[in-house]
Amino acid sequence: MGLTFNSLLDDYGIDPRDVRLLRHQTIKYAGRTPYTLWRDDHDGFLLYQSIQSVQNGPKLTGRYWASFVVTPAASTLFVGLYEIEKIGPCDPTIIDPLRGVPVTQGGARELDLYRQAGTAVELARRAQGRARDLPSDLPPHQRAICRLRLW
């Protein structure tokens, strides 16, 4: 049987119904994408991911976010499983790490801020051990990720 994301969740006692999938694919801003943020500025990536539009709130309601980014080769890369908690409205003066400007600049949308409690590293390590074609020279914050082909 092939590797499926739900089977990984099940192996760790995580109910897939408690997981929301986030696939970050955004156009480049000053050469930055969610993938390059994740690769080069992990804290910036976590901040970027923690800011979500109020409109998307109902879709994000769950205990966990499974986070994926789109690579320069247009493949989808699993970058972590985060236990989340909605904090409340986002401070409009926070600088968007992707665009380098206040989060509300360029639009008047309402934003919420979420807290992300550590990644489920063991889940990602297990996936990494079962997946193919992983680079062997990953930086420390990237060692617990894997490439999952989504069928």
Side-chain angles (χ1 to χ4, degrees), residues 19-37:
V19 179
R20 301 298 172 264
L21 304 178
L22 279 69
R23 184 174 184 265
H24 301 292
Q25 177 180 343
T26 305
I27 60 172
K28 285 185 181 180
Y29 290 97
R32 293 184 296 261
T33 65
Y35 170 78
T36 60
L37 269 182

Side-chain angles (χ1 to χ4, degrees), residues 12-138:
Y12 283 89
I14 297 171
D15 186 338
R17 293 174 295 188
D18 291 336
V19 179
R20 301 298 172 264
L21 304 178
L22 279 69
R23 184 174 184 265
H24 301 292
Q25 177 180 343
T26 305
I27 60 172
K28 285 185 181 180
Y29 290 97
R32 293 184 296 261
T33 65
Y35 170 78
T36 60
L37 269 182
W38 168 78
R39 185 190 66 199
D40 302 334
D41 179 8
H42 196 246
D43 290 339
F45 172 76
L46 292 176
L47 177 60
Y48 168 80
Q49 179 171 267
S50 72
I51 301 167
Q52 298 288 334
S53 73
V54 169
Q55 177 182 350
N56 285 337
K59 297 180 213 171
L60 299 173
T61 301
R63 184 171 177 192
Y64 301 98
W65 286 347
S67 185
F68 299 81
V69 295
V70 175
T71 69
S75 63
T76 300
L77 183 69
F78 173 59
V79 296
L81 184 72
Y82 301 87
E83 189 166 9
I84 59 102
E85 174 187 358
K86 182 177 172 182
I87 296 172
C90 181
D91 178 347
T93 64
I94 290 177
I95 301 299
D96 178 338
L98 185 65
R99 299 181 304 137
V101 297
V103 292
T104 54
Q105 183 173 321
R109 62 189 180 160
E110 292 182 65
L111 300 170
D112 281 330
L113 190 63
Y114 291 80
R115 178 178 295 114
Q116 302 168 78
T119 61
V121 173
E122 287 306 314
L123 174 71
R125 283 189 182 144
R126 181 175 174 103
Q128 186 177 19
R130 292 168 59 184
R132 296 182 188 157
D133 303 326
L134 293 172
S136 59
D137 59 344
L138 294 173

